[in-house]
Amino acid sequence: MASWVEELHFPHVNIPITIAHLLPVSPAGPISAAPGDSLYLSNLDDIIGARVFTPTIYFYRFDFLNNSTRKSVMKTLFDALSHVLVPYYPLSGRLRETKNGKLEVFFEQGQGALMVEAYSEMALDKLGELTVPNPAWSPLIFRFPNEEPYKILDMPLLIAQVTLFSCGGFSLGLRLCHCICDGLGAMQFLRAWAATAKSGTLVTNPDPCWNRKFFQPRNPPVVKYPHMEFMKIDEGSSLTRSLWQEKPVQKCYRISREFQAQLKYVAAQTNDQKFSYTTFDAMAAHVWRSWVKALDVKPVNYKLRLTFSVNARNKLKNPPLKDGFYGNVVCLACAVSSVYELITRHLTETAHLVHDARIGVSEEYLRSTIDYVEVDRPTRLEFGGKLTITQWTRFSIYECADFGWGRPIYAGPIDLTPTPQVCVFLPEGEADPSDRMVVCICLPESATDKFKEFLSSVDQSRDEDVDRNN
């Protein structure tokens, strides 16, 4: 059974690059905003966890015939982006703070997105097998010199670095501001950009919809849930300390379809409950337990949180959300358990917690989240006792990113270590996400062997854990 979980290794390489040009990209035609205009952002867009750039990278193998063909990649992407920025014009603006620290998009002359042209004397095959995120790819994502961490104000909202390799292949490194779109919204934009590059004419299907006022808070606000996902909790356990004080390492594991099915089956084995657990319920529960066990978190009565995003689009019925909306429509679901309960109870009980948190995201829960942020706007990320799982397997990221040179050989994130309490579930290449997934997570080096052992075991012995922690 352990063979169903395979650790995937990535090389530690140095990628020398030369930045050739920084090219502002303006919309190719008139847009629905003039200098001095501004756009409202909802509390879902403006929430503290969305105040980041999401970096992703896409690698393409392409046998260029000559330098003219190499240059055409940059021109094709540049021209297509300028056309797509007409309907997606908010991405050509900037963010600023207004009263009470709330953000809005504003427009002035000389803004736009940013494209970066770069070159590397390396060949793609020197980067190793391009199957899992690798922090060594960081030079392929552009950052301004001396750029402050988490800086989003007065920054281009889309930054795209095209790096041409000596072999003819290239990478597209994107930084997209999460305040403008969630994961599904980003895929919608990426699909439009790629389709436009491929066809040579503007393609948007569906047409993009802004309408962030759909998610305005109620007056007066009505907060119906405790929203543990945002609660300020003093770190009274060893969890956060062990991750932030000892430099964490990023680990990736291929999880077979058979192992996922076995986990789902084991999670469903209960006599007193009738629940239909999803693969995510079982996988999230199993990874959470394995991570906490490997970190040997103390004290055992400390309350831990598992948070994960739930797409709420299909929850909105009154009225429904317009097709083409690309803003943030995700809620953070939150499961809570003590360390002792998490490591000693059966997988079924942890999966039950994940299941209840997931199905608990309703239209009213989303509205309550919006009102909670309006009443008590979180100003910092809360890491106390928390693991956050992000599920990229639901994104058609490979399909969306065909700009005319075929689908990428890798598409996804690069480095989790800046936020070591985040775990990502990735599709493996172009494989069916129901087939195999890749789990990427951060751990102290001292805990990696234990984590792999626990992750590879469907049923982790509770008696052994009780003895160890009592």
Side-chain angles (χ1 to χ4, degrees), residues 54-56 58 84 88 91 157-158 174-194 212 313 324-330 392 395-397 400-401 403:
T54 303
T56 53
Y58 308 79
V84 170
Y88 284 95
L91 282 166
L157 301 179
L158 171 64
L174 295 184
R175 295 176 70 196
L176 189 58
C177 184
H178 204 324
C179 294
I180 305 301
C181 51
D182 61 11
L184 289 175
M187 292 303 101
Q188 178 183 309
F189 165 77
L190 186 65
R191 186 188 297 273
W193 184 11
R212 307 303 165 96
R313 283 168 171 80
F325 185 88
Y326 60 100
N328 286 275
V329 199
V330 292
W392 288 50
F395 301 148
S396 53
I397 189 168
C400 291
F403 290 85

Side-chain angles (χ1 to χ4, degrees), residues 5-10 131-135 137 249-255 283 287-288 291 387-393 398 410-417 419-429 437-443 451 455:
V5 175
E6 178 188 358
E7 183 174 352
L8 301 174
H9 300 278
F10 48 82
T131 55
V132 296
N134 187 343
W137 299 339
V249 293
Q250 180 173 298
K251 292 291 184 178
C252 300
Y253 305 89
R254 176 185 290 130
I255 312 295
M283 278 296 305
V287 168
W288 188 23
W291 189 66
L387 175 66
T388 297
I389 292 179
T390 302
Q391 187 181 10
W392 288 50
T393 52
Y398 287 86
Y410 173 85
I414 63 170
D415 188 5
L416 306 185
T417 56
T419 52
Q421 288 173 245
V422 172
C423 170
V424 179
F425 292 177
L426 292 171
E428 186 181 29
M437 74 166 65
V438 174
V439 172
C440 300
I441 199 164
C442 292
L443 295 150
F451 178 76
L455 183 69

Side-chain angles (χ1 to χ4, degrees), residues 175-401:
R175 295 176 70 196
L176 189 58
C177 184
H178 204 324
C179 294
I180 305 301
C181 51
D182 61 11
L184 289 175
M187 292 303 101
Q188 178 183 309
F189 165 77
L190 186 65
R191 186 188 297 273
W193 184 11
T196 299
K198 200 171 183 178
S199 69
T201 58
L202 178 63
V203 178
T204 57
N205 184 23
D207 291 333
C209 169
W210 180 258
N211 192 21
R212 307 303 165 96
K213 292 187 177 180
F214 184 94
F215 294 114
Q216 281 187 311
R218 292 171 287 200
N219 188 14
V222 181
V223 180
K224 291 189 175 181
Y225 300 89
H227 294 290
M228 287 289 293
E229 62 271 26
F230 302 122
M231 193 164 291
K232 301 175 181 67
I233 295 179
D234 292 333
E235 181 54 272
S237 79
S238 60
L239 187 149
T240 303
R241 184 172 63 253
S242 67
L243 283 168
W244 291 86
Q245 289 186 355
E246 181 181 339
K247 183 175 175 59
V249 293
Q250 180 173 298
K251 292 291 184 178
C252 300
Y253 305 89
R254 176 185 290 130
I255 312 295
S256 71
R257 178 178 58 186
E258 293 81 5
F259 190 81
Q260 295 174 56
Q262 181 69 9
L263 279 179
K264 188 176 176 182
Y265 173 79
V266 171
Q269 299 310 296
T270 175
N271 295 324
D272 56 349
Q273 301 286 354
K274 299 295 182 183
F275 290 109
S276 176
Y277 295 127
T278 64
T279 298
F280 175 81
D281 294 337
M283 278 296 305
H286 182 60
V287 168
W288 188 23
R289 296 170 77 223
S290 300
W291 189 66
V292 170
K293 287 162 67 71
L295 292 174
D296 194 20
V297 179
K298 302 289 178 62
V300 295
N301 63 346
Y302 187 74
K303 291 288 187 181
L304 302 177
R305 293 177 289 178
L306 174 72
T307 59
F308 53 93
S309 295
V310 174
N311 173 28
R313 283 168 171 80
N314 61 356
K315 312 282 186 179
L316 300 168
K317 307 295 185 185
N318 189 26
L321 193 61
K322 186 177 178 181
D323 190 30
F325 185 88
Y326 60 100
N328 286 275
V329 199
V330 292
C331 274
L332 267 187
C334 183
V336 179
S337 172
S338 72
V339 176
Y340 181 82
E341 292 169 337
L342 195 60
I343 65 178
T344 60
R345 290 183 173 177
H346 194 271
L347 176 65
T348 296
E349 294 168 89
T350 310
H352 189 180
L353 294 176
V354 177
H355 169 272
D356 283 359
R358 178 175 57 80
I359 67 169
V361 174
S362 60
E363 182 166 9
E364 180 53 44
Y365 190 91
L366 180 138
R367 294 291 177 186
S368 178
T369 298
I370 294 167
D371 291 352
Y372 178 94
V373 175
E374 188 69 15
V375 171
D376 186 15
R377 187 175 301 278
T379 57
R380 52 170 286 181
L381 292 169
E382 296 295 332
F383 294 107
K386 184 186 288 187
L387 175 66
T388 297
I389 292 179
T390 302
Q391 187 181 10
W392 288 50
T393 52
R394 59 200 170 107
F395 301 148
S396 53
I397 189 168
Y398 287 86
E399 178 189 348
C400 291

Side-chain angles (χ1 to χ4, degrees), residues 113-130:
L114 177 67
M115 286 199 71
V116 179
E117 183 177 353
Y119 295 88
S120 176
E121 293 302 317
M122 291 184 72
L124 274 180
D125 59 8
K126 298 298 184 183
L127 301 185
E129 192 175 354
L130 302 174

Side-chain angles (χ1 to χ4, degrees), residues 75-89:
K75 183 177 185 335
T76 297
L77 293 173
F78 183 98
D79 290 347
L81 179 57
S82 68
H83 283 90
V84 170
L85 284 178
V86 174
Y88 284 95
Y89 68 93

